């Protein structure tokens, strides 16, 4: 008597957390578009000298024959041409494309540097405050309240005026970039600290933390091995949303006179210079403004998609 054929077995493949997050992130077209845009912006910023070399343009070379100090660049749309795809500025006739690419290096450097400083301080103090509690928690949170009430713009102006052209081993534009990174990063940590503290207050009462303690794990082991892996999701999401905020803040500081010394360029510095010539050369304001808009939108779209992908309750 023949035995019936056995039904083919169905293997259940388990997905890791990383693969699940990646699958959800790929399904969000807006997040994917934002991610590709961010990668493109970073590549263009890193290889700005090579890109400008292909077009044969330079960010600081003046072309006075291409512009008029009163009526603006010769030609339509800010003097756009094959030689200068995005036109030239009104004052000196410098190539806008080259200044935009080299300016992206400065703006992204300031935004990423300030974000890293803010994340390190905010995550570290938030974990310490939430896990230790008691007086440590009270001191950290009251310090956060003080920082949140601090007049940031006035401090940036005062710090720039108090420091000479050389301090802390830096000088010139390097010193100004360091000041902007310090001001934006050092004074924005309380926001992340509050988020991390709330998560730690919830996580420290979970069973896996109690099990680690019962096995004799010390404080640092519990923090680094048990808490930090569960805190990476809110930290990453906050970082992706903080970078565009820092880009906008850099533009604001440049408008207040804390930007780079000429002829160096950043997106904020370009928009500040364009305000004086907006009626005769509006393209010089539109180009860096659109660059900031696209960058901020890309980071926000990617941050929203990353937040949804890391949410375990999302379908």
């Amino acid at each position: 008597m023949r035995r019936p054929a056995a039904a083919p077995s169905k293997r259940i493949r388990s997905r890791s957390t990383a693969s699940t997050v990646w699958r959800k992130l790929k399904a969000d077209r807006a997040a994917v578009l934002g991610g590709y845009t961010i990668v493109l912006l970073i590549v263009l910023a890193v290889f700005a000298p090579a890109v400008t070399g292909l077009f044969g343009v330079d960010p600081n070379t003046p072309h006075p024959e291409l512009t008029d100090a009163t009526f603006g660049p010769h030609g339509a749309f800010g003097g756009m041409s094959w030689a200068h795809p995005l036109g030239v500025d009104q004052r000196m006739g410098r190539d806008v494309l080259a200044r935009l690419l080299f300016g992206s290096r400065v703006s992204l450097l300031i935004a990423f540097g300030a974000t890293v400083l803010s994340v390190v301080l905010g995550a570290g103090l938030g974990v310490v405050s939430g896990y230790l509690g008691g007086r440590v928690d009270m001191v950290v949170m009251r310090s956060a309240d003080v920082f949140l009430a601090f007049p940031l713009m006035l401090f940036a102006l005062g710090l720039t005026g108090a420091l000479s052209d050389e301090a802390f081993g830096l000088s010139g534009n390097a010193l100004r970039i360091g000041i902007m990174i310090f001001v934006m990063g050092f004074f924005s940590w309380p926001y992340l600290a509050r988020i991390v503290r709330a998560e730690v207050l919830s996580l420290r009462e979970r069973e896996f933390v109690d099990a680690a303690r019962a096995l004799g794990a010390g404080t640092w082991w519990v923090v680094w091995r048990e808490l930090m892996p569960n805190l990476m999701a809110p930290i990453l999401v906050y970082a992706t949303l903080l970078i565009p905020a820092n880009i906008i803040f850099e533009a604001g500081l440049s408008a207040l006179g804390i930007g780079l010394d000429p002829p160096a360029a950043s997106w904020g510095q370009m928009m500040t210079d364009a305000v004086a010539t907006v009626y005769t050369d509006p393209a010089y304001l539109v180009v860096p403004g659109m660059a900031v808009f696209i960058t901020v939108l890309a980071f926000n779209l990617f941050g929203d998609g990353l937040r949804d992908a890391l949410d375990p309750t999302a379908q």
Side-chain angles (χ1 to χ4, degrees), residues 8 10 26-27 43-44 104 107 112 160 230 237 239 252 266 296-297 310:
K10 295 182 179 180
K26 288 193 300 182
V43 170
L44 290 176
S104 67
S107 296
F112 277 100
T160 305
N230 293 279
V237 172
S266 71
V296 171
L297 180 62
L310 292 171

Side-chain angles (χ1 to χ4, degrees), residues 85-243:
L86 296 181
V88 295
D89 66 350
Q90 177 172 336
R91 293 182 177 179
M92 303 180 65
R94 295 171 297 189
D95 186 82
V96 175
L97 173 62
R99 294 185 64 77
L100 186 74
L101 292 176
F102 277 85
S104 67
R105 307 178 100 187
V106 176
S107 296
L108 293 178
L109 173 63
I110 294 173
F112 277 100
T115 299
V116 170
L117 178 59
S118 177
V119 167
V120 171
L121 291 176
L125 292 175
V127 170
V128 171
S129 176
Y131 187 75
L132 297 182
R135 293 184 178 180
V136 175
D137 183 29
M138 182 185 67
V139 171
V140 173
M141 287 298 100
R142 297 297 75 78
S143 300
D145 294 336
V146 172
F147 274 81
L148 289 174
F150 209 86
L152 185 55
M153 288 290 187
L154 294 179
F155 179 80
L157 289 172
L159 185 61
T160 305
L163 294 176
S164 60
D165 293 336
E166 185 174 356
F168 310 111
L170 301 175
S171 61
N173 287 328
L175 178 60
R176 287 178 171 265
I177 291 175
I179 291 174
M180 286 189 280
I181 290 176
F182 171 77
V183 169
M184 288 189 288
F186 188 72
F187 287 90
S188 58
W189 65 264
Y191 301 100
L192 180 60
R194 289 177 176 272
I195 296 173
V196 172
R197 172 182 176 271
E199 291 290 333
V200 172
L201 289 177
S202 174
L203 291 172
R204 71 178 186 179
E205 305 299 331
R206 298 288 182 86
E207 293 80 3
F208 62 89
V209 176
D210 292 335
R213 290 173 183 160
L215 292 173
T219 300
W220 289 109
W221 176 274
V222 173
V223 169
W224 287 106
R225 296 287 185 173
E226 305 296 339
L227 296 182
M228 287 305 296
N230 293 279
L231 295 172
M232 291 307 298
I235 291 175
L236 288 175
V237 172
Y238 180 81
T240 58
L241 298 178
L242 183 59
I243 291 174

Side-chain angles (χ1 to χ4, degrees), residues 9-22:
S9 61
K10 295 182 179 180
R11 295 183 179 180
I12 300 176
R13 295 187 303 172
S14 61
R15 290 192 177 98
S16 63
T17 302
S19 62
T20 302
V21 170
W22 177 244

